[in-house]
Amino acid sequence: TPMNETFEAASGVKVVALVFGFIGAALGIVYTPEMTRRTAFAALIAGIVCGGLGPELLQSFIVAPLPTIIKNVVALVCGIGGMFIVPGVLSISQGFAKDPWGFIDRIRGLRGPKDGDK
């Protein structure tokens, strides 16, 4: 349909990926214990966005074109997992706000010691 083609051309995001992201996020919300309406709505939006962007992001790392079914499965899985991104980002930002230097030290610890560090 012309409207889908216009949206896909303008955004680079396939409508079907958004639909699979929505389905994945909705399934994730159903199986997540007790959420407020506000949290569920935010999780749904995050899942849709991740579902829409995930297949194209994966494709950017792989040279060979991915089959449509694989892209749709990636969108579904990204929709399920995407709903956990917002709480994760909030948790990280709150940790940084409480103790910026401790946060930086933890990040440096994840990378391992640099040359010259003891």
Side-chain angles (χ1 to χ4, degrees):
T1 61
M3 190 168 184
N4 287 354
E5 292 170 5
T6 304
F7 173 78
E8 289 174 2
S11 68
V13 175
K14 300 280 186 189
V15 173
V16 71
L18 295 173
V19 171
F20 276 100
F22 172 82
I23 293 169
L27 287 171
I29 289 169
V30 167
Y31 289 102
T32 301
E34 297 185 35
M35 284 183 147
T36 65
R37 286 180 192 247
R38 190 170 151 181
T39 305
F41 182 73
L44 186 64
I45 297 301
I48 292 169
V49 170
C50 290
L53 298 177
E56 295 306 317
L57 180 64
L58 177 64
Q59 182 64 72
S60 70
F61 291 109
I62 299 174
V63 177
L66 291 172
T68 302
I69 187 77
I70 298 298
K71 287 184 178 182
N72 293 341
V73 168
V74 168
L76 181 76
V77 171
C78 287
I80 294 169
M83 60 180 276
F84 298 106
I85 288 177
V86 172
V89 168
L90 291 175
S91 175
I92 290 169
S93 64
Q94 289 169 350
F96 179 79
K98 288 179 184 173
D99 183 14
W101 294 113
F103 179 82
I104 292 169
D105 287 341
R106 283 192 300 278
I107 296 297
R108 288 183 68 203
L110 291 174
R111 291 190 346 211
K114 289 184 177 180
D115 293 338
D117 286 350
K118 298 204 179 207

